[in-house]
Amino acid sequence: MTPDSLGFVVSFVVAVMTASTPLLLAATGELITEKSGVLNLGVEGMMLVGAIAAFATTVATGSAVLGVAAAILAGMAMAFIFAVLTLTLLANQVATGLALTIFGTGLSALIGSGYVGMALQPLPKLSIPVLSSIPLIGPILFGQDALVYLSFAMVGGIAWFLFRTHRGLILRAVGDSHEAAHAIGYKVIFIRYLATLFGGALSGLAGAYMSLAYSPSWAENMTAGRGWIALALVVFATWRPLYLLIGAYLFGGIMYSSFYLQGLGQAMPFGIVIPSQFISALPYVATIVVLVAISSDRAKIRLNAPACLGRPFHAAG
């Protein structure tokens, strides 16, 4: 492999990892939320609020750590609003999630109006003197920022929690049969509150990655539909963490490829000209195609989907 081709492979893989990380973080949080039986469609809004909270806090304090913490708290605050409306007041989960996205989009635009055009230094990359200089492997495995490694750790931790711990079993039981879980003494509403707040925290963290690492600046609607793709990823993965990791990197690769194709412009082979609008829509077209393909296998969806997903629970008495 020539140095030029080696450099291209490294830069392409690193770019895909960067594009995939916010998808993976947001989808992992939504996976836990949905495993408890709660359907929160407000991921996009929580990501946007997390993104502006992280950016504004980092600008004000100069600390990216405080910015990330602010994003997590902002995401949890948005998720708490959703939880109160749907779990306590029994509002419709679909309508409330859509309203949360609209609210988050408007709130982030309002708060961020004074930060448009500002830029920050991106999150620092890990640099291990010997390991980071290994050809091909070094920059990919040992040259990422902390949130990339955290996203991998989250997937592994969530898989272990769901399928290897008693508390994970309880969470799945609440999502599969809230009446049975309540009958044997588990606090269904409390567990769903915790799962929803966890989902909000990771959505806020995904937003922080967008404004502090992926594109260290603020722009209105900067998530560009990634919250919706994260929601689709959970279905794509049939609510299994390992498939979530694969799906996030698949969609991240498609997203980066669309940017790469736009960059080629008139340099496409054989004189082929592809409209830029079509290339920009590729990730979303791919999302629709994948969801349609998965929906054709209804047996697999019924087998893995939480049976009480989106259904309200009200404890009698």
Side-chain angles (χ1 to χ4, degrees), residues 240-266:
R240 289 177 288 184
L242 177 59
Y243 288 86
L244 196 67
L245 175 63
I246 296 171
Y249 275 77
L250 172 63
F251 279 93
I254 294 172
M255 293 187 76
Y256 177 71
S257 296
S258 68
F259 297 141
Y260 179 72
L261 290 174
Q262 288 184 59
L264 286 178
Q266 300 298 322

Side-chain angles (χ1 to χ4, degrees), residues 78-311:
M78 292 285 286
F80 182 74
I81 294 172
F82 174 84
V84 169
L85 292 173
T86 59
L87 302 179
T88 301
L89 302 179
L90 301 180
N92 180 274
Q93 293 183 15
V94 173
T96 305
L98 294 174
L100 191 70
T101 288
I102 296 171
F103 173 66
T105 302
L107 180 63
S108 62
L110 176 64
I111 297 174
S113 59
Y115 295 93
V116 176
M118 293 185 182
L120 292 171
Q121 289 295 320
L123 293 178
K125 306 287 187 180
L126 178 67
S127 180
I128 302 176
V130 177
L131 297 178
S132 297
S133 59
I134 299 174
L136 187 63
I137 299 175
I140 295 173
L141 296 183
F142 306 106
Q144 305 298 324
D145 59 74
L147 293 186
V148 173
Y149 299 112
L150 179 62
S151 68
F152 282 100
M154 279 290 176
V155 172
I158 291 304
W160 174 80
F161 170 76
L162 286 174
F163 303 110
R164 293 291 185 270
T165 68
H166 181 64
R167 286 184 173 85
L169 178 62
I170 294 172
L171 179 72
R172 290 187 286 127
V174 167
D176 286 331
S177 179
H178 48 216
E179 293 93 351
H182 175 70
I184 59 178
Y186 293 120
K187 298 178 180 179
V188 172
I189 298 299
F190 177 71
I191 292 170
R192 287 184 170 176
Y193 258 94
L194 293 180
T196 303
L197 290 176
F198 180 81
L202 285 196
S203 291
L205 189 60
Y209 190 84
M210 291 295 301
S211 62
L212 299 182
Y214 183 80
S215 176
S217 58
W218 167 253
E220 189 175 333
N221 292 320
M222 69 181 305
T223 51
R226 287 173 175 82
W228 299 109
I229 294 178
L231 283 163
L233 274 174
V234 178
V235 181
F236 169 84
T238 56
W239 295 269
R240 289 177 288 184
L242 177 59
Y243 288 86
L244 196 67
L245 175 63
I246 296 171
Y249 275 77
L250 172 63
F251 279 93
I254 294 172
M255 293 187 76
Y256 177 71
S257 296
S258 68
F259 297 141
Y260 179 72
L261 290 174
Q262 288 184 59
L264 286 178
Q266 300 298 322
M268 292 291 289
F270 308 110
I272 298 173
V273 177
I274 302 176
S276 61
Q277 294 85 351
F278 175 77
I279 296 175
S280 299
L282 275 180
Y284 311 102
V285 172
T287 302
I288 296 171
V289 171
V290 168
L291 287 179
V292 170
I294 292 174
S295 298
S296 64
D297 191 352
R298 297 183 180 274
K300 180 179 289 187
I301 291 180
R302 284 197 300 267
L303 180 64
N304 293 289
C308 294
L309 182 62
R311 288 172 49 190

